[in-house]
């Protein structure tokens, strides 16, 4: 029988079908770019936290095959002289091999201390079963575990000079929390053995597909869900699954008299009738706020578990790019200016805000999409660099949020699929404009590309090409706002 790993056990808790697919059809597993980024970030933070317990041996650096990792770990466990990173533990329970890798295993006075490293900012419930499995395997091997711990990110830590690793990582003891789980691992293993040999379980899709993690087999299991006009397009997840469990998969399947209320009823009605809805009074009120010169502004940012610059915190959004379209007077020509940091490792925020202050001036409305993001970034820059605080406040106060009329359903088109994001609104109202053909097509991708630039991943030619792609993407964001505002004016 193939070994049951820690990750497989945790997968079985989320969904038994996912456990079976992982063991028999792993080729169906697909992860998004954002999921892969989280995984990489977790690995990077885990390696960084080894510095809390220096002088250890990294099993992954010494050998490559699992059999070799298990044997080397056994040798180091017998010596018990220094920490082991990625300690590879294995045992047999009810004839089934169990396998896990402990991020950091540290010798103590009477046994060993387990440290599981997570790049989140708190101890989440799913981490407890993770550590409990490790402790169980270790004890089945005859090891004494003095303590079990989770190391997570301290998002209140502000970097000033070299990283202070003891402040960046928080060690949380989880002994009592694990004890409270009262897991009978013998019965768990027997159940997993039966699940493995009995064929693919007929588990329906549900909220478990996204909790606690988005499942890598979701594309496979959701292949019967329509790509257009499904209940998952139009309704929040909980409500969508209520409808799905009642037998409604497509919006058109739902009876006209279904007891919806509020915005859900409005969206359902307009989608069912394939109607474009416009509340002219509310749109006119929104347009009445606009003062010239008129600017259209969009930021791009990146974040990292390990803060790269002084006066920054873990996972703080660090601005590195903006696009700005300016119309000096109504009906006037549009000017475009932009900024993209050169990614040479210096703090991106200083050149970013200095150039923005120069480009955007001190008067006139500034149109943004989902203003809370840009306002928060300006607030943080003003806090971190007080010399720019007044200018940041001036820019933030002038902002008008183009998201609002779509969020509040002043305007709704069925092709928006219940979403007010610009990626949904733009193709619904202005089909000629879209992000489909861009090399960089969304904010998450832009974030990853720029971080790779900072880390020197690309050669000179690739860097130059991707800089052009970043500029093109961000410019489309502000041009989209220009055209959406124009559409709103024409609609009323």
């Amino acid at each position: 029988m193939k070994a049951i790993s820690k990750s497989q056990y945790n997968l079985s808790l989320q969904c038994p079908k996912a456990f079976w697919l992982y063991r028999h059809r792993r080729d169906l597993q697909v992860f998004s770019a954002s999921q892969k980024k989280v995984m990489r970030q977790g690995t990077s933070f885990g390696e960084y936290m080894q510095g809390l317990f220096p002088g250890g041996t990294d099993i992954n650096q010494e050998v490559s095959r699992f059999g070799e990792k298990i044997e080397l770990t056994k040798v180091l466990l017998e010596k018990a002289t220094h920490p082991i990173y990625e300690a590879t533990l294995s045992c047999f329970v009810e004839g089934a091999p169990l396998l896990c890798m402990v991020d950091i295993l540290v010798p103590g006075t009477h046994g060993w201390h387990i440290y599981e490293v997570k790049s989140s900012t708190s101890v989440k419930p799913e981490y407890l079963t993770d550590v409990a499995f490790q402790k169980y395997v270790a004890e089945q091997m005859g090891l004494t575990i003095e303590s079990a711990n989770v190391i997570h990110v301290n998002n209140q830590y502000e970097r000033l000079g070299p990283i202070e690793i003891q402040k960046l990582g928080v060690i949380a003891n989880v002994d009592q929390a694990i004890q409270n789980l009262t897991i009978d691992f013998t019965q768990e293993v027997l159940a997993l053995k039966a699940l493995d040999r009995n064929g693919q379980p007929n588990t329906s899709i549900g909220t478990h597909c996204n909790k606690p993690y988005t499942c890598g087999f979701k594309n496979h299991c959701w292949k019967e869900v329509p790509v257009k006009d499904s209940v998952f397009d139009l309704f929040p997840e909980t409500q969508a699954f209520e409808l799905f469990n009642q037998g409604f998969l497509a919006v058109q399947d739902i009876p006209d008299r279904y007891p919806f209320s509020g915005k859900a009823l409005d969206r359902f009605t307009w989608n069912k009738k394939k109607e474009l809805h416009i509340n002219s009074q509310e749109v006119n009120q929104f347009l009445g706020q606009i003062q010239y010169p008129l600017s259209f502004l969009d930021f791009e940012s990146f974040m990292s578990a390990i803060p790269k610059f002084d006066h920054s915190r873990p996972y703080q959004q660090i601005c590195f790019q903006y696009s700005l379209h300016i119309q000096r007077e109504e009906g006037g020509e549009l000017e475009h200016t932009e900024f993209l940091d050169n990614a040479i490792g210096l703090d991106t925020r200083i050149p970013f805000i200095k150039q923005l202050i120069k480009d955007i001036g001190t008067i006139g409305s500034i149109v943004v999409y989902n203003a809370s993001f840009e306002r928060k970034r300006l607030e943080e820059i003003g806090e971190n660099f007080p010399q720019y605080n007044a200018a940041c406040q001036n820019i933030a106060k002038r902002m008008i949020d183009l998201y609002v009329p779509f969020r509040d359903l002043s305007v709704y088109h069925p092709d928006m699929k219940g979403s007010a994001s610009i990626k949904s609104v733009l193709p619904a109202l202005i089909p000629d404009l879209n992000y489909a053909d861009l090399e960089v097509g969304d904010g998450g991708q832009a974030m990853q590309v720029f971080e790779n630039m900072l880390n020197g991943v690309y050669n000179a030619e690739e860097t130059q090409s991707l800089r052009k792609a970043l500029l093109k993407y961000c410019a489309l964001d502000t041009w989209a706002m220009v055209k959406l505002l124009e559409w709103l004016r024409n609609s009323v």
Side-chain angles (χ1 to χ4, degrees):
M1 181 182 182
K2 292 187 297 184
I4 298 173
S5 68
K6 176 187 70 171
S7 60
Q8 291 175 39
Y9 169 67
N10 286 321
L11 196 56
S12 74
L13 299 179
Q14 180 168 341
C15 175
K17 184 178 179 181
F19 169 82
W20 190 93
L21 288 169
Y22 185 92
R23 291 176 66 82
H24 297 278
R25 291 300 311 275
R26 194 174 175 183
D27 58 297
L28 299 174
Q29 191 176 41
V30 178
F31 292 110
S32 67
S34 60
Q35 287 173 293
K36 291 176 182 178
K37 175 179 169 59
V38 171
M39 294 174 191
R40 288 193 298 269
Q41 194 138 248
T43 300
S44 176
F45 183 71
E47 292 171 351
Y48 210 85
M49 286 298 106
Q50 292 172 1
L52 289 171
F53 306 96
T57 298
D58 190 332
I59 298 296
N60 282 342
Q61 296 295 322
E62 299 294 324
V63 291
S64 57
R65 296 182 179 180
F66 267 109
E68 295 172 330
K69 293 179 181 182
I70 291 169
E71 291 307 312
L72 178 56
T73 300
K74 287 179 180 178
V75 171
L76 296 174
L77 287 173
E78 290 177 4
K79 293 181 179 180
T81 55
H82 57 267
I84 309 173
Y85 313 136
E86 301 298 335
T88 308
L89 309 181
S90 179
C91 69
F92 281 85
V93 175
E94 297 294 333
L98 304 187
L99 177 71
C100 69
M101 299 184 76
V102 180
D103 288 336
I104 304 173
L105 197 58
V106 180
T109 306
H110 305 291
W112 294 84
H113 300 274
I114 289 174
Y115 294 92
E116 173 68 9
V117 183
K118 298 293 186 183
S119 57
S120 69
T121 58
S122 63
V123 178
K124 298 179 181 179
E126 57 267 25
Y127 300 164
L128 302 179
T129 53
D130 191 314
V131 180
F133 186 92
Q134 297 176 46
K135 183 180 180 183
Y136 176 76
V137 173
E139 290 175 340
Q140 292 302 300
M141 293 176 62
L143 301 179
T144 298
I145 300 302
E146 289 190 40
S147 73
N149 309 273
V150 172
I151 302 175
H152 64 84
V153 177
N154 173 17
N155 63 347
Q156 298 305 306
Y157 166 66
E158 182 176 345
R159 178 173 181 171
L160 290 171
I163 293 286
E164 299 169 275
I165 193 169
Q166 293 82 4
K167 294 182 179 180
L168 175 61
V170 176
I171 299 176
N173 180 270
V174 294
D175 287 327
Q176 188 60 54
I178 288 175
Q179 186 176 335
N180 293 342
L181 293 176
T182 63
I183 300 172
D184 185 339
F185 277 105
T186 301
Q187 292 302 312
E188 294 282 312
V189 171
L190 288 171
L192 290 179
K193 285 179 64 178
L195 176 59
D196 185 55
R197 66 173 177 261
N198 287 341
Q200 180 175 323
N202 187 26
T203 307
S204 178
I205 63 173
T207 55
H208 58 269
C209 295
N210 298 310
K211 295 176 183 177
Y213 307 105
T214 299
C215 179
F217 297 102
K218 184 176 176 180
N219 287 348
H220 169 70
C221 296
W222 285 56
K223 60 182 179 290
E224 301 303 324
V225 175
V227 294
K228 186 177 181 181
D229 295 331
S230 81
V231 293
F232 300 101
D233 281 334
L234 195 58
F235 301 101
E237 184 181 81
T238 302
Q239 189 174 21
F241 273 113
E242 288 177 2
L243 292 163
F244 174 76
N245 292 330
Q246 294 173 43
F248 305 125
L249 183 53
V251 173
Q252 294 301 316
D253 297 336
I254 305 172
D256 292 342
R257 295 185 179 182
Y258 192 91
F260 292 118
S261 61
K263 290 184 178 179
L265 175 60
D266 292 335
R267 284 194 297 265
F268 171 68
T269 301
W270 300 327
N271 270 73
K272 191 90 170 181
K273 294 180 178 179
K274 302 294 184 183
E275 276 185 0
L276 169 65
H277 164 76
I278 302 172
N279 185 318
S280 297
Q281 181 179 353
E282 292 177 356
V283 171
N284 274 317
Q285 287 176 348
F286 172 80
L287 295 173
Q289 307 171 73
I290 291 173
Q291 297 179 2
Y292 286 84
L294 178 58
S295 301
F296 300 83
L297 178 65
D298 180 68
F299 292 172
E300 298 299 333
S301 66
F302 76 95
M303 61 181 181
S304 172
I306 302 167
K308 292 184 178 294
F309 309 122
D310 283 356
H311 301 292
S312 69
R313 301 182 304 278
Y315 296 122
Q316 182 176 345
Q317 297 276 4
I318 303 296
C319 294
F320 66 86
Q321 180 181 10
Y322 67 76
S323 173
L324 179 65
H325 277 89
I326 302 174
Q327 191 175 36
R328 302 292 175 185
E329 57 187 10
E330 188 169 358
E333 291 293 321
L334 279 156
E335 305 166 18
H336 182 248
T337 185
E338 58 195 355
F339 172 87
L340 175 57
D341 188 83
N342 54 22
I344 59 173
L346 301 177
D347 195 330
T348 65
R349 294 167 295 176
I350 297 293
F352 172 94
I353 194 62
K354 287 176 69 175
Q355 187 64 43
L356 178 61
I357 291 169
K358 179 181 176 182
D359 287 343
I360 206 163
T362 58
I363 59 171
S365 299
I366 303 169
V367 175
V368 293
Y369 208 96
N370 199 0
S372 59
F373 176 79
E374 275 81 7
R375 284 179 178 142
K376 184 63 177 176
R377 303 292 77 78
L378 290 168
E379 178 186 327
E380 291 169 344
I381 291 173
E383 289 174 353
N384 295 145
F385 308 101
Q387 66 269 36
Y388 302 113
N389 188 44
C392 286
Q393 289 185 16
N394 172 270
I395 295 169
K397 288 176 182 177
R398 292 155 56 200
M399 286 183 173
I400 294 176
D401 196 347
L402 187 55
Y403 175 60
V404 170
F406 304 104
R407 179 200 66 193
D408 294 349
L409 300 186
S410 301
V411 176
Y412 183 80
H413 190 289
D415 288 347
M416 288 163 54
K417 299 181 179 180
S419 171
S421 77
I422 196 167
K423 300 297 189 298
S424 297
V425 172
L426 189 64
L429 301 182
I430 310 173
D432 293 341
L433 282 181
N434 65 76
Y435 295 79
D437 297 329
L438 296 182
E439 186 176 357
V440 175
D442 60 61
Q445 192 179 1
M447 178 186 296
Q448 186 60 59
V449 165
F450 184 78
E451 192 168 3
N452 287 345
M453 286 181 179
L454 277 178
N455 295 332
V457 172
Y458 309 121
N459 61 36
E461 185 178 346
E462 290 170 329
T463 298
Q464 187 64 23
S465 174
L466 286 166
R467 280 185 66 86
K468 291 178 180 177
L470 285 170
L471 291 169
K472 189 174 182 180
Y473 163 68
C474 197
L476 180 57
D477 271 347
T478 51
W479 182 247
M481 286 187 270
V482 170
K483 302 307 288 184
L484 284 173
L485 187 67
E486 184 180 294
W487 188 95
L488 286 177
R489 282 174 164 155
N490 291 335
S491 73
V492 293

